[in-house]
Amino acid sequence: MASPVPNWTQDEIATNRAFFYEQTTEFRKTWYPLVPSNELLTTQPTALRLLEEPLVLYRDPQTNQPVVFADKCAHRSAPLSVGRIMDGKLECRYHGWQYDTDGKVSHIPSLLKDRSIPANAKVQTYPAHEADGWVWVWPGTLEDMQDVPKPKLYHPWGGDLKAISGYVDLDIDHSLLLENFLDPSHIPFTHDTTIGNRKLASAMTIDCQFHGKFIRGLQVNPDLPDMITSEFEFHPPCTISLKFVSKTESRNDQSFYCIPTRKGHCRFIYAQRFTFFESAFKIPVLGSVVSWYFPRFNKKVLMEDYAMLTGLQERLAMGANAMNSPVAADLMIKTYRNWWRKAMKKNPWFKGYSDDIEDIVLGDCHHSCASAETKAVPATLSGDE
Ligand code: FES
């Protein structure tokens, strides 16, 4: 069933809207899921960018805890991510400097015996947390982190259904991918025969509600009142969740994280829960089939979006307008763009970005994602630590 429609006064609506824009437009005041727990190793580091910044991540062999550094050696700025784990420590492959987990250099092989390690021989560290099968990274200040709950995958229906999650790295700017998930009127056409049906396309409006630190969009198809529709939420800066709403009881939901790795690129992370997963995972063979099939199906659906978004991104880079003739079904996109303008005016997290989304894209789309691998992670129960 659909969420109840709030009975707000016009004043309350205006207050909620102002609160949302005031409280959510900071890209660095949030935890980002980045790497599946099963990919973080004690034997070798891995590299990924977040908000344009190169990071190196590994698992401390002594404590098994995730460690995240700026991927830039304190000696001569070589990438630490191409280094190795030696004697339980991250070691730079250039001149062999070794690091403790607090980011301080603990060993310099070429240092003369009567010299001590320079006081500034350290790299920036980032807080990390592991939950629901993912390693999450906090890119902001420690002070801001105190007020924010520890992260876990968001499931709009709540409860403890098993989730299937995974990721794909895409050469699409995270903002364009995110917009795509706020746009239910594309589904019958872009995804005809997979998750959509063009014969079911009909008139559509969106009811947009401001709920504290997130907004909720309710899809309304006046000509098809019995159709399964979606309620979707945007949790800034980069999380979208979908709840499928029908007249029968349903607890299916999905969350999508469009992680801004760097300009024109993103890591797309999904977490899906369907009620039939519960019975499927009780039968090992069936559970294996579901775990094998869903990442492949997700990639097929995603590639349908990819064909649209890469072309759109290229055209925006050539100066095209992102929204020539908006209609009622585009309301969430317009709301997101409004949020973007306020966020970028307030505190751009990368100097190349402006308050126009179409200015942020580059002409460096290489259509490489058709061969990108969809990486699945083991199914988790929400709330698993
Ligand atoms: Fe890393 Fe020299 S650049 S040890």
Side-chain angles (χ1 to χ4, degrees), residues 63 111 134 202 207 224 236 283 303:
T63 65
L111 196 67
W134 289 87
S202 75
D207 178 21
L224 294 173
I283 305 168
M303 287 304 108

Side-chain angles (χ1 to χ4, degrees), residues 35-48:
V35 178
S37 289
N38 64 348
E39 287 190 9
L40 201 68
L41 305 177
T42 56
T43 49
Q44 69 181 72
T46 188
L48 195 69

Side-chain angles (χ1 to χ4, degrees), residues 43-45 56 79-85 90-94:
T43 49
Q44 69 181 72
V56 55
L80 291 168
S81 54
V82 297
R84 48 172 80 88
I85 311 291
L90 180 60
E91 179 180 282
C92 180
R93 196 173 282 265
Y94 210 0

